[in-house]
Amino acid sequence: MKSLLTSLIVLLSVISSIAQETIEIDFSINQSGNQLVLDSIYIENLSSTCDTMLYYPNNRLSINLLSDIEDIQLNETGLYANVYPNPSKEKSTIKVYTQEKGIHFLLFDIQGRKLLDKQFDTDAGEQHFQLQNGPSGQYVAKIQSGNAQHTLKIISESDSSSDLKLEYLGVASYQKEASKNGTAFQINHGDELQFTAWTTACQSSENISQIEIITQSETIIFDFTHLTNLQPNTPTPSHISASENEITWEWNNVDCNGYKYAYENNYSEAVELGTNTQMITDDLLAGTNYQLYIWAYNDCGASRALEMHQATIAIPFTASENDTILNGSSSSVMDVMNIFEQPDSMILRTRSTNVLLNEENLEHLVSRMQYTVGAESGVGIAAPQVGINRRVIWVQRYDIGAIMHPWETYYNPRIIAYSDTVAYRSDGCLSVPSGGDYPNVEGFSYRAIWIDVEYYTETGEHVIERINQQYTAHIFQHEIDHLDGIMYFDRQVEENKGNFTIIPGDSYEGLPPID
């Protein structure tokens, strides 16, 4: 023990304090209209001979601005690490930059006892980790990569007695972009940067370059006002109205040859509309979200898509739905649908429709849903799982509260954006029993690490919220999938893996299973 304590004192003596600042560089375009977008932005650090590339629609570069890079001798050791916030009450983010593959973490308490030992299979570059704090106290992290090592002093002010947990979050976003020389991109104070932006004007690629010295967060504006031979401006919506089975879409006229439409963002499948600036879609399902994409076009090509969303008006609960809701008291559990049985499977595979917020028996339904998921020890439940094909979900918010995590109800929710980074995560479902006569379905799925979700509260407030915490984002995805007739094992399809950046996932150790 004495020799180990001596080693720890030596480790602590080499801890460096590195001044750094997180900056964000945004990019925009000055043009005559709204028809041009920045297709890509090439950023070259002329002082450090490293570079990176951003592609539409990612027009933000977030990076740590290092002020004392020489003090840590990065080029000699090939390893740099930092933790923030420090001290922290719940979680800390650890950033590690390495020129080697593979990172080994060792974590000790101040008495020299080893608390954590984990090996991660990573590439070179900046990697992000999240540390779930253990009991209050001081810790020493020893980080090794190749022949290099770095130590960090970590202070926990947590009130929890939970064990320490370390989770790999993935590579820094700006390093997922293509780089010409394969070197991790970083900026030091006083570095000279060259920015080259490309845009497409009348089917031709145009570019502009400018040199800047970045010392703080700012927006770089590229001036393309000299371009006049252009595709049309993007139309803007003027009016949208809906009934139970019909939507009328209208948009403002722009200078163009005509318009085309599609129900997906795919111009190659777009249908001619002529010069009409109104479109009616009918024979629609009540209480259902629909989207429409409109393009203006001329001899130069098509505008960017105008994306419009609208839901048809919902209808009241049917007599059959009311019978199911009212066949027990508000504190009684409901029968959970079984994907292996009929007619349960048909209900679980049917797309649910919106609910009226002033529905007479809605409060009775959500009360019974909460009792049902509580009896099953789940972390979320969707109305189709209790036989009601309506867009209502209960979710336990593990991103809120340190000890007690509140349950919240969401009405007519839908996911409007997913991260392009996904994790292969453990999954399960109250509606997918195993054992006995039922097959054992593999319990993993590909899940976005964050989502933007749109929903209504019980008071009628419309909310758009980004769910950043991976576990809670997973619960939302799982439950909203139920509303669209999707089961978790449908998210195991491997054909789409090439469309995403995939990071390692775990079983959410210490958290209830998604079930």
Side-chain angles (χ1 to χ4, degrees):
M1 175 62 75
K2 183 177 179 180
S3 64
L4 182 54
L5 282 172
T6 303
S7 299
L8 282 174
I9 293 171
V10 173
L11 289 176
L12 287 171
S13 69
V14 299
I15 293 174
S16 300
S17 177
I18 302 154
Q20 65 175 350
E21 174 190 0
T22 299
I23 64 170
E24 292 181 340
I25 307 172
D26 292 302
F27 303 93
S28 67
I29 186 170
N30 192 11
Q31 58 177 307
S32 300
N34 67 7
Q35 59 275 74
L36 300 179
V37 297
L38 295 174
D39 297 330
S40 59
I41 306 159
Y42 175 51
I43 307 160
E44 186 176 11
N45 190 330
L46 303 179
S47 302
S48 300
T49 62
C50 58
D51 56 45
T52 192
M53 198 85 168
L54 302 179
Y55 299 97
Y56 177 82
N58 178 20
N59 279 351
R60 170 171 290 184
L61 180 70
S62 297
I63 193 167
N64 283 335
L65 191 64
L66 304 177
S67 59
D68 296 314
I69 194 73
E70 295 84 0
D71 293 346
I72 60 170
Q73 299 178 325
L74 180 63
N75 291 330
E76 292 183 19
T77 68
L79 182 64
Y80 155 71
N82 188 46
V83 58
Y84 65 93
N86 191 22
S88 71
K89 289 187 176 297
E90 295 183 20
K91 297 177 182 178
S92 297
T93 297
I94 300 175
K95 292 185 178 181
V96 179
Y97 169 74
T98 174
Q99 296 177 351
E100 304 290 338
K101 291 186 176 182
I103 295 174
H104 185 197
F105 267 94
L106 293 163
L107 197 69
F108 303 87
D109 65 15
I110 202 65
Q111 283 78 40
R113 292 173 297 197
K114 185 164 66 174
L115 306 175
L116 187 149
D117 186 342
K118 295 192 75 172
Q119 183 81 40
F120 297 91
D121 183 14
T122 60
D123 291 327
E126 183 179 300
Q127 314 292 332
H128 289 192
F129 300 83
Q130 186 176 81
L131 179 67
Q132 175 71 51
N133 283 347
S136 178
Q138 296 186 20
Y139 304 93
V140 177
K142 182 178 178 182
I143 303 167
Q144 299 173 320
S145 183
N147 294 323
Q149 68 179 32
H150 191 88
T151 57
L152 292 171
K153 182 179 180 180
I154 300 174
I155 301 174
S156 170
E157 296 181 345
S158 174
D159 297 328
S160 170
S161 59
S162 301
D163 293 335
L164 289 153
K165 298 181 181 66
L166 186 66
E167 178 184 11
Y168 177 53
L169 299 182
V171 68
S173 61
Y174 57 85
Q175 290 170 329
K176 292 186 290 186
E177 309 296 346
S179 177
K180 287 186 176 180
N181 57 29
T183 303
F185 184 73
Q186 59 190 36
I187 304 173
N188 306 321
H189 273 287
D191 280 358
E192 190 175 53
L193 306 180
Q194 178 168 286
F195 301 90
T196 303
W198 278 267
T199 189
T200 301
C202 200
Q203 304 177 32
S204 296
S205 181
E206 306 283 346
N207 69 84
I208 290 177
S209 294
Q210 57 194 70
I211 295 176
E212 305 277 350
I213 295 177
I214 303 297
T215 59
Q216 60 186 5
S217 296
E218 63 177 276
T219 299
I220 305 295
I221 303 174
F222 299 97
D223 190 353
F224 284 96
T225 53
H226 62 282
L227 299 176
T228 56
N229 192 25
L230 302 170
Q231 53 269 30
N233 283 329
T234 304
T236 56
S238 60
H239 180 71
I240 305 175
S241 60
S243 65
E244 289 182 2
N245 306 109
E246 184 177 281
I247 300 175
T248 299
W249 318 82
E250 298 181 39
W251 55 93
N252 293 312
N253 189 37
V254 298
D255 184 14
C256 64
N257 294 350
Y259 302 93
K260 293 185 178 183
Y261 78 91
Y263 297 114
E264 294 184 355
N265 192 2
N266 184 352
Y267 185 70
S268 65
E269 300 293 328
V271 179
E272 178 66 49
L273 268 174
T275 57
N276 293 324
T277 57
Q278 181 191 80
M279 180 176 170
I280 299 175
T281 51
D282 54 14
D283 294 328
L284 306 178
L285 294 175
T288 302
N289 291 298
Y290 291 93
Q291 58 192 20
L292 182 71
Y293 295 88
I294 298 292
W295 293 267
Y297 66 88
N298 62 13
D299 294 338
C300 277
S303 69
R304 286 181 290 148
L306 163 63
E307 182 179 354
M308 294 184 284
H309 293 271
Q310 180 62 44
T312 50
I313 295 176
I315 60 175
F317 284 143
T318 65
S320 175
E321 288 174 322
N322 279 319
D323 287 344
T324 301
I325 295 167
L326 299 175
N327 68 4
S329 70
S330 61
S331 59
S332 62
V333 300
M334 303 179 75
D335 292 335
V336 177
M337 300 292 100
N338 184 336
I339 190 63
F340 302 119
E341 296 180 357
Q342 292 293 2
D344 294 11
S345 181
M346 292 180 62
I347 294 172
L348 291 169
R349 286 302 194 179
T350 297
R351 186 180 182 189
S352 295
T353 62
N354 288 343
V355 67
L356 294 170
L357 298 183
N358 60 355
E359 182 71 57
E360 180 180 2
N361 294 319
L362 183 57
E363 185 178 350
H364 195 92
L365 169 64
V366 298
S367 176
R368 295 194 68 188
M369 285 174 60
Q370 186 176 24
Y371 275 97
T372 303
V373 70
E376 299 286 348
S377 301
V379 293
I381 194 169
Q385 291 183 273
V386 293
I388 305 296
N389 280 124
R390 298 295 184 128
R391 299 186 74 84
V392 181
I393 61 173
W394 268 103
V395 167
Q396 191 168 15
R397 293 294 298 261
Y398 279 83
D399 57 338
I400 300 175
I403 299 176
M404 300 298 293
H405 305 291
W407 282 87
E408 295 184 355
T409 318
Y410 301 97
Y411 301 93
N412 304 334
R414 68 185 186 100
I415 298 173
I416 57 178
Y418 295 85
S419 68
D420 60 2
T421 298
V422 302
Y424 193 50
R425 296 291 194 180
S426 60
D427 217 326
C429 185
L430 302 179
S431 297
V432 185
S434 61
D437 297 330
Y438 303 119
N440 183 25
V441 180
E442 178 71 18
F444 282 82
S445 60
Y446 291 101
R447 296 294 180 180
I449 62 173
W450 61 258
I451 57 170
D452 289 338
V453 62
E454 174 186 59
Y455 57 82
Y456 288 87
T457 66
E458 61 183 4
T459 61
E461 180 186 4
H462 177 252
V463 178
I464 296 177
E465 180 183 3
R466 172 156 293 186
I467 310 298
N468 277 311
Q469 201 244 16
Q470 292 186 35
Y471 184 66
T472 306
H474 186 160
I475 301 172
F476 268 93
Q477 291 171 77
H478 182 110
E479 303 308 335
I480 293 177
D481 271 356
H482 275 305
L483 305 181
D484 296 319
I486 299 170
M487 303 299 294
Y488 75 84
F489 44 80
D490 299 330
R491 298 296 187 184
Q492 298 171 346
V493 179
E494 304 243 334
E495 293 90 84
N496 295 325
K497 286 177 63 176
N499 299 329
F500 306 102
T501 299
I502 300 173
I503 65 173
D506 58 27
S507 300
Y508 300 122
E509 183 180 351
L511 294 168
I514 305 289
D515 202 3

Coordinates of all heavy atoms in Angstrom, one line a residue, residues 336-349 385 428-443 482 487-490 492 515:
V336 N -52.0 -5.5 -21.0 CA -50.9 -5.2 -21.9 C -51.0 -6.0 -23.1 O -51.1 -7.3 -23.0 CB -49.6 -5.3 -21.2 CG1 -48.4 -5.0 -22.1 CG2 -49.5 -4.4 -19.9
M337 N -51.0 -5.4 -24.3 CA -51.0 -6.1 -25.6 C -49.8 -7.0 -25.7 O -48.7 -6.6 -25.3 CB -51.1 -5.1 -26.7 CG -52.3 -4.2 -26.7 SD -53.9 -5.1 -27.0 CE -54.5 -5.2 -25.2
N338 N -49.9 -8.1 -26.4 CA -48.9 -9.1 -26.6 C -48.6 -9.2 -28.1 O -49.5 -9.6 -28.9 CB -49.3 -10.5 -26.1 CG -48.2 -11.5 -26.2 OD1 -47.3 -11.4 -27.0 ND2 -48.3 -12.5 -25.3
I339 N -47.4 -8.9 -28.6 CA -47.1 -8.9 -30.0 C -47.3 -10.2 -30.7 O -47.5 -10.3 -31.9 CB -45.7 -8.3 -30.3 CG1 -45.4 -8.1 -31.7 CG2 -44.7 -9.3 -29.7 CD1 -46.3 -7.0 -32.4
F340 N -47.3 -11.3 -29.9 CA -47.3 -12.7 -30.4 C -48.8 -13.2 -30.5 O -49.0 -14.3 -30.9 CB -46.5 -13.6 -29.6 CG -45.1 -13.3 -29.5 CD1 -44.5 -13.0 -28.3 CD2 -44.3 -13.1 -30.7 CE1 -43.1 -12.6 -28.2 CE2 -42.9 -12.8 -30.6 CZ -42.4 -12.5 -29.4
E341 N -49.7 -12.4 -30.1 CA -51.1 -12.8 -30.1 C -52.0 -11.9 -30.9 O -51.7 -10.7 -31.1 CB -51.7 -12.9 -28.7 CG -50.9 -13.9 -27.8 CD -51.5 -14.0 -26.4 OE1 -52.4 -13.2 -26.1 OE2 -51.0 -14.9 -25.6
Q342 N -53.1 -12.4 -31.4 CA -54.1 -11.6 -32.1 C -55.4 -11.4 -31.3 O -55.7 -12.4 -30.5 CB -54.5 -12.2 -33.5 CG -53.4 -12.2 -34.5 CD -53.0 -10.8 -35.0 OE1 -53.6 -9.8 -34.6 NE2 -52.1 -10.8 -35.9
P343 N -56.0 -10.3 -31.3 CA -55.8 -9.1 -32.2 C -54.8 -8.1 -31.7 O -54.6 -7.1 -32.2 CB -57.2 -8.5 -32.2 CG -57.8 -8.7 -30.9 CD -57.3 -10.1 -30.5
D344 N -54.1 -8.5 -30.6 CA -53.1 -7.6 -30.0 C -52.1 -7.1 -31.0 O -51.7 -5.9 -31.1 CB -52.4 -8.3 -28.8 CG -53.3 -8.6 -27.6 OD1 -54.5 -8.4 -27.8 OD2 -52.7 -8.9 -26.6
S345 N -51.6 -8.0 -31.8 CA -50.5 -7.7 -32.8 C -51.0 -6.7 -33.8 O -50.2 -5.8 -34.2 CB -50.0 -9.0 -33.5 OG -49.0 -8.7 -34.4
M346 N -52.3 -6.8 -34.2 CA -52.8 -5.8 -35.1 C -52.9 -4.4 -34.5 O -52.6 -3.4 -35.2 CB -54.2 -6.2 -35.6 CG -54.2 -7.5 -36.4 SD -55.9 -7.9 -37.0 CE -56.3 -6.5 -37.9
I347 N -53.2 -4.3 -33.2 CA -53.2 -3.0 -32.5 C -51.8 -2.4 -32.4 O -51.6 -1.3 -32.7 CB -53.9 -3.2 -31.1 CG1 -55.3 -3.6 -31.3 CG2 -53.7 -1.9 -30.3 CD1 -56.0 -4.0 -30.0
L348 N -50.9 -3.3 -32.1 CA -49.5 -2.8 -31.9 C -48.9 -2.4 -33.2 O -47.9 -1.6 -33.2 CB -48.6 -3.9 -31.2 CG -49.0 -4.1 -29.8 CD1 -48.2 -5.4 -29.3 CD2 -48.6 -2.9 -28.9
R349 N -49.4 -2.9 -34.3 CA -48.8 -2.6 -35.6 C -49.6 -1.6 -36.4 O -49.3 -1.2 -37.5 CB -48.7 -3.9 -36.5 CG -47.6 -4.9 -36.1 CD -46.3 -4.2 -36.1 NE -45.2 -5.2 -36.0 CZ -43.9 -4.9 -36.1 NH1 -43.6 -3.6 -36.1 NH2 -43.0 -5.8 -36.0
Q385 N -50.2 0.0 -26.3 CA -49.9 -1.1 -25.5 C -51.0 -1.6 -24.6 O -51.0 -2.7 -24.0 CB -48.6 -0.9 -24.7 CG -47.3 -0.8 -25.5 CD -46.1 -0.6 -24.7 OE1 -45.7 0.5 -24.3 NE2 -45.5 -1.7 -24.3
G428 N -36.0 -3.7 -24.7 CA -37.0 -4.7 -24.3 C -38.4 -4.0 -24.4 O -38.5 -2.9 -24.8
C429 N -39.4 -4.8 -24.1 CA -40.8 -4.2 -24.2 C -41.7 -5.0 -23.4 O -41.7 -6.3 -23.4 CB -41.2 -4.3 -25.7 SG -42.7 -3.5 -26.0
L430 N -42.7 -4.3 -22.7 CA -43.7 -5.0 -22.0 C -44.6 -5.8 -22.9 O -45.2 -6.8 -22.4 CB -44.6 -3.9 -21.3 CG -43.9 -3.0 -20.3 CD1 -44.9 -2.0 -19.8 CD2 -43.2 -3.7 -19.2
S431 N -44.6 -5.5 -24.2 CA -45.5 -6.2 -25.1 C -44.8 -7.3 -25.9 O -45.3 -7.9 -26.8 CB -46.1 -5.2 -26.2 OG -46.9 -4.2 -25.5
V432 N -43.5 -7.6 -25.5 CA -42.8 -8.7 -26.1 C -42.3 -9.6 -25.0 O -41.2 -9.6 -24.5 CB -41.5 -8.2 -26.8 CG1 -40.8 -9.3 -27.6 CG2 -42.0 -7.1 -27.8
P433 N -43.2 -10.5 -24.5 CA -42.9 -11.5 -23.4 C -41.9 -12.5 -24.0 O -41.8 -12.8 -25.2 CB -44.2 -12.1 -23.1 CG -45.0 -12.0 -24.3 CD -44.6 -10.7 -24.9
S434 N -41.1 -13.1 -23.1 CA -40.2 -14.2 -23.5 C -40.4 -15.4 -22.5 O -41.0 -15.2 -21.4 CB -38.8 -13.7 -23.5 OG -38.4 -13.3 -22.2
G435 N -40.0 -16.5 -23.0 CA -40.1 -17.7 -22.2 C -41.4 -18.4 -22.4 O -42.3 -17.9 -23.1
G436 N -41.6 -19.7 -22.0 CA -42.8 -20.4 -22.3 C -43.0 -20.7 -23.7 O -42.1 -21.2 -24.4
D437 N -44.1 -20.3 -24.3 CA -44.4 -20.5 -25.7 C -43.9 -19.4 -26.6 O -44.1 -19.4 -27.8 CB -45.9 -20.7 -25.9 CG -46.5 -21.9 -25.1 OD1 -45.7 -22.8 -25.0 OD2 -47.7 -21.8 -24.7
Y438 N -43.3 -18.4 -26.0 CA -42.9 -17.2 -26.8 C -41.4 -17.3 -27.2 O -40.6 -17.7 -26.4 CB -43.2 -15.9 -26.0 CG -44.6 -15.8 -25.6 CD1 -44.9 -15.7 -24.2 CD2 -45.6 -15.8 -26.5 CE1 -46.3 -15.6 -23.8 CE2 -46.9 -15.6 -26.1 CZ -47.3 -15.6 -24.8 OH -48.6 -15.5 -24.4
P439 N -41.1 -16.8 -28.4 CA -39.7 -16.9 -28.8 C -38.9 -15.8 -28.0 O -39.4 -14.8 -27.5 CB -39.7 -16.5 -30.3 CG -41.0 -15.8 -30.4 CD -42.0 -16.3 -29.4
N440 N -37.6 -16.0 -28.0 CA -36.7 -15.0 -27.3 C -36.2 -14.1 -28.4 O -35.4 -14.4 -29.2 CB -35.5 -15.8 -26.6 CG -34.6 -14.8 -25.9 OD1 -35.0 -13.8 -25.5 ND2 -33.3 -15.2 -25.7
V441 N -36.7 -12.8 -28.3 CA -36.3 -11.8 -29.3 C -35.1 -11.1 -28.8 O -35.0 -10.6 -27.6 CB -37.4 -10.8 -29.5 CG1 -37.0 -9.7 -30.5 CG2 -38.7 -11.5 -30.0
E442 N -34.1 -10.9 -29.6 CA -32.8 -10.2 -29.3 C -33.1 -8.8 -28.8 O -33.8 -8.1 -29.4 CB -31.9 -10.2 -30.5 CG -30.6 -9.4 -30.3 CD -29.6 -10.2 -29.4 OE1 -29.8 -11.4 -29.2 OE2 -28.7 -9.6 -28.9
G443 N -32.5 -8.5 -27.6 CA -32.9 -7.3 -26.9 C -32.0 -6.1 -27.1 O -31.6 -5.4 -26.2
H482 N -43.9 3.0 -30.8 CA -45.2 2.3 -30.6 C -46.4 3.0 -31.2 O -47.3 2.4 -31.8 CB -45.5 2.1 -29.1 CG -44.8 0.9 -28.5 ND1 -45.0 -0.4 -28.9 CD2 -44.0 0.8 -27.4 CE1 -44.3 -1.2 -28.2 NE2 -43.7 -0.5 -27.2
M487 N -41.9 -1.8 -33.6 CA -41.4 -2.5 -32.4 C -39.9 -2.3 -32.3 O -39.2 -2.1 -33.3 CB -41.7 -4.0 -32.5 CG -43.2 -4.3 -32.6 SD -44.2 -3.7 -31.2 CE -43.6 -4.7 -29.9
Y488 N -39.3 -2.5 -31.1 CA -37.9 -2.2 -31.0 C -37.0 -3.1 -31.8 O -36.0 -2.7 -32.3 CB -37.5 -2.4 -29.5 CG -37.4 -3.8 -29.0 CD1 -36.2 -4.5 -29.1 CD2 -38.4 -4.3 -28.3 CE1 -36.1 -5.8 -28.6 CE2 -38.3 -5.6 -27.7 CZ -37.2 -6.3 -27.9 OH -37.1 -7.6 -27.4
F489 N -37.5 -4.4 -32.1 CA -36.6 -5.3 -32.9 C -36.7 -4.9 -34.4 O -35.8 -5.3 -35.2 CB -37.0 -6.7 -32.7 CG -38.5 -7.0 -32.7 CD1 -39.2 -7.1 -33.9 CD2 -39.2 -7.2 -31.5 CE1 -40.6 -7.4 -33.9 CE2 -40.6 -7.5 -31.5 CZ -41.3 -7.5 -32.7
D490 N -37.6 -4.0 -34.8 CA -37.5 -3.4 -36.1 C -36.3 -2.5 -36.3 O -35.8 -2.3 -37.4 CB -38.8 -2.6 -36.4 CG -40.0 -3.4 -36.4 OD1 -40.0 -4.6 -36.7 OD2 -41.1 -2.9 -36.1
Q492 N -33.4 -3.2 -35.4 CA -32.2 -4.0 -35.5 C -31.7 -4.1 -36.9 O -30.7 -4.8 -37.2 CB -32.4 -5.3 -34.8 CG -32.7 -5.3 -33.4 CD -33.2 -6.6 -32.8 OE1 -33.5 -7.5 -33.5 NE2 -33.2 -6.7 -31.5
D515 N -38.1 -1.5 -20.9 CA -39.0 -2.7 -20.9 C -40.4 -2.3 -20.6 O -40.6 -1.3 -19.8 CB -38.5 -3.7 -19.8 CG -39.0 -5.1 -20.1 OD1 -39.6 -5.3 -21.1 OD2 -38.7 -5.9 -19.2

